[in-house]
Amino acid sequence: MSRFWKIALIVVAVIVVGAVGFRLLRKPATEDGAQGQQSGQKQGQDGKGQDTPVPVTVEPVVKQDVPVYLTALGTVQALNTVTINPQVSGQMLSINFKEGQEVKKGDLLAQIDPRTFQAAYDQASAKQEQDEAQLSTAQSTLKRNDALVAKGYVAQLDMDTFRNNVANLTATVAADRAAVRSAKVNLDYTRIISPIDGVAGIRNVDPGNVVTTTTSVVTLTQIHPIYVTFSLPEQNLDMVRKAAGVGDALEVLALDRADAHTIAGDGQLNVIDNQIDTTTGTFKLRSIFQNTTGDLWPGQFVNVRLKVRTVNGGLVIPAQSVQRGPDGDYVYLVQQDQTVKMQAVKVAGEVGDSHVMIGAGLALADKVVTEGQFRLKPGSKVKALKPGEVPTAPTAAEVDKAKKRAQQGGGGRRG
């Protein structure tokens, strides 16, 4: 083979190798370009999606008078608690109440065998009548002889004896009357009477038992009205004392342990204790409730709200509009161009079960998002729905996206 053909074969081989290499290198670049184009289209679609308004429920900031409450855990206590003990000893004939029954002052609770005490009363009465008869005779004798002294028929010494006899019998009759009253009291004590209006507890004796003055028959608790005691931190003392010194008694509410509903709302502050507990740094207060329906029960734990003042013209928004982020509380504030921004707020207190009062961060008539916040981020366009309307249900993808965004940003709904 000549030198010319050798050179030609080498050139052809180089061209073939170059063509193959070029094709291999060009294919990935083409695929990357296609993927880049698809990604760009997707981004374009996402950008277009961001321009689509997000339907959310919006409510304006309103102004209203807001009561300010101090809250505490309270204990219900009976107005009066009386343990019924017999005042005389004897056999219990009957129990005249049912356990758990409401009794009135003066109601018969139990009856002790009265026969012994009736006999003692009758004996004392007879003794009184006997001594009264003797006194009457002595008085008549004194009167007759007094008329004969002037005529000299009766000696003065005898008259002194007559007078002393009358005085002695008068004292005896007085003692008899006292003995009758004592016997009557003991006889009356055989009827055990309720000293208060209250609820009867579980009885401790049965008919037929012999009871003494140390025997506990039953305990009565007065629940109409009823007390609720609670404690507050000592830094609230001046506020409470100043509020209590102005106008009517302070209003007190009693709520269940979950703060879900009001048990009694007619309470009034009754007493502020005269000292601070140095071990806990708190002071004790007592409120009184009429408790006409019996919803409050002795020993019950309740949440107490003490109204100390009213803020006139407070700014109020729904509680569900407030979110909690890593930097504190915030709301989504709707701006003039119908986009939203995260607005930091300071919550000054609760207003009922569904609203809060804002101390800073918002102005009257500002509009905040109350439903649909999980779809939003700063700058999102929104479609405002009327109060009471609910945005359309989110898709599963939107929910997952909102969860990821909350996890990454550390934010979430206000608890």
Side-chain angles (χ1 to χ4, degrees):
M1 182 181 295
S2 64
R3 185 178 180 181
F4 171 78
W5 289 107
K6 289 180 179 180
I7 295 172
L9 289 173
I10 292 172
V11 171
V12 171
V14 171
I15 293 173
V16 171
V17 171
V20 172
F22 176 79
R23 186 170 184 82
L24 292 174
L25 292 174
R26 184 175 179 274
K27 184 175 180 181
T30 303
E31 292 176 353
D32 291 340
Q35 293 176 355
Q37 183 178 2
Q38 293 176 358
S39 177
Q41 292 175 353
K42 185 176 181 181
Q43 291 177 358
Q45 293 174 356
D46 289 343
K48 184 178 179 181
Q50 291 176 356
D51 294 335
T52 303
V54 179
V56 293
T57 302
V58 174
E59 292 194 34
V61 178
V62 297
K63 181 182 291 188
Q64 67 182 63
D65 294 340
V66 180
V68 177
Y69 293 100
L70 297 177
T71 60
L73 178 64
T75 305
V76 181
Q77 294 181 344
L79 187 72
N80 290 301
T81 301
V82 179
T83 299
I84 303 299
N85 295 88
Q87 292 178 276
V88 293
S89 300
Q91 185 181 40
M92 187 69 70
L93 290 184
S94 64
I95 300 293
N96 300 83
F97 66 90
K98 293 182 179 179
E99 296 165 313
Q101 170 190 350
E102 287 201 29
V103 297
K104 299 295 184 181
K105 182 177 180 179
D107 286 352
L108 178 65
L109 299 178
Q111 176 70 61
I112 295 175
D113 187 356
R115 291 175 296 179
T116 302
F117 302 96
Q118 182 68 54
Y121 173 74
D122 293 341
Q123 185 177 7
S125 297
K127 179 68 167 54
Q128 177 185 345
E129 291 176 359
Q130 180 183 10
D131 291 338
E132 285 178 344
Q134 293 180 1
L135 175 61
S136 179
T137 301
Q139 288 173 338
S140 298
T141 301
L142 175 63
K143 184 177 181 181
R144 286 194 305 270
N145 289 299
D146 189 46
L148 299 174
V149 171
K151 297 178 180 181
Y153 295 119
V154 178
Q156 187 64 42
L157 180 62
D158 292 335
M159 290 301 301
D160 293 339
T161 301
F162 295 145
R163 291 189 184 93
N164 290 338
N165 189 34
V166 169
N168 183 49
L169 289 174
T170 301
T172 301
V173 169
D176 290 339
R177 289 172 180 170
V180 169
R181 288 196 298 270
S182 178
K184 182 64 168 63
V185 168
N186 288 333
L187 178 61
D188 291 342
Y189 281 158
T190 61
R191 291 171 51 86
I192 300 177
I193 303 299
S194 173
I196 61 170
D197 295 343
V199 177
I202 298 174
R203 74 173 189 236
N204 301 315
V205 297
D206 298 316
N209 293 154
V210 175
V211 297
T212 67
T213 55
T214 61
T215 303
S216 173
V217 177
V218 70
T219 298
L220 303 180
T221 55
Q222 186 173 356
I223 62 173
H224 309 298
I226 202 166
Y227 290 136
V228 175
T229 60
F230 56 99
S231 297
L232 290 173
E234 60 178 304
Q235 56 264 32
N236 296 140
L237 178 60
D238 287 342
M239 180 191 302
V240 174
R241 291 183 63 190
K242 289 178 181 177
V246 179
D248 299 330
L250 298 185
E251 175 186 327
V252 182
L253 305 177
L255 297 88
D256 63 1
R257 294 296 302 277
D259 274 345
H261 71 279
T262 300
I263 300 175
D266 60 347
Q268 292 183 337
L269 185 64
N270 177 248
V271 174
I272 302 174
D273 200 7
N274 60 0
Q275 59 184 345
I276 295 174
D277 188 339
T278 57
T279 60
T280 61
T282 61
F283 65 100
K284 187 180 293 185
L285 306 96
R286 188 178 71 189
S287 56
I288 187 168
F289 290 79
Q290 294 306 309
N291 197 34
T292 53
T293 58
D295 293 325
L296 297 174
W297 205 251
Q300 179 182 4
F301 289 101
V302 294
N303 286 327
V304 177
R305 290 184 182 176
L306 172 65
K307 181 180 176 182
V308 291
R309 62 189 178 94
T310 299
V311 176
N312 297 322
L315 299 180
V316 177
I317 60 175
Q320 62 190 12
S321 64
V322 181
Q323 309 293 302
R324 178 167 294 165
D327 298 326
D329 294 335
Y330 68 93
V331 297
Y332 278 109
L333 178 65
V334 180
Q335 303 181 97
Q336 294 293 334
D337 59 358
Q338 296 302 302
T339 62
V340 294
K341 71 172 184 176
M342 293 174 60
Q343 177 64 44
V345 295
K346 179 181 179 182
V347 177
E350 297 181 354
V351 182
D353 298 328
S354 60
H355 288 69
V356 294
M357 182 174 66
I358 299 299
L362 294 174
L364 181 63
D366 280 349
K367 295 181 179 180
V368 296
V369 177
T370 60
E371 291 288 346
Q373 297 97 320
F374 62 91
R375 297 182 176 184
L376 303 177
K377 61 182 180 180
S380 296
K381 276 190 170 293
V382 296
K383 178 183 178 182
L385 302 178
K386 295 180 180 180
E389 295 181 351
V390 180
T392 55
T395 63
E398 289 174 331
V399 173
D400 291 339
K401 184 177 180 181
K403 288 181 178 178
K404 291 178 180 178
R405 186 167 69 244
Q407 292 172 355
Q408 292 173 358
R413 291 298 300 265
R414 175 178 174 85

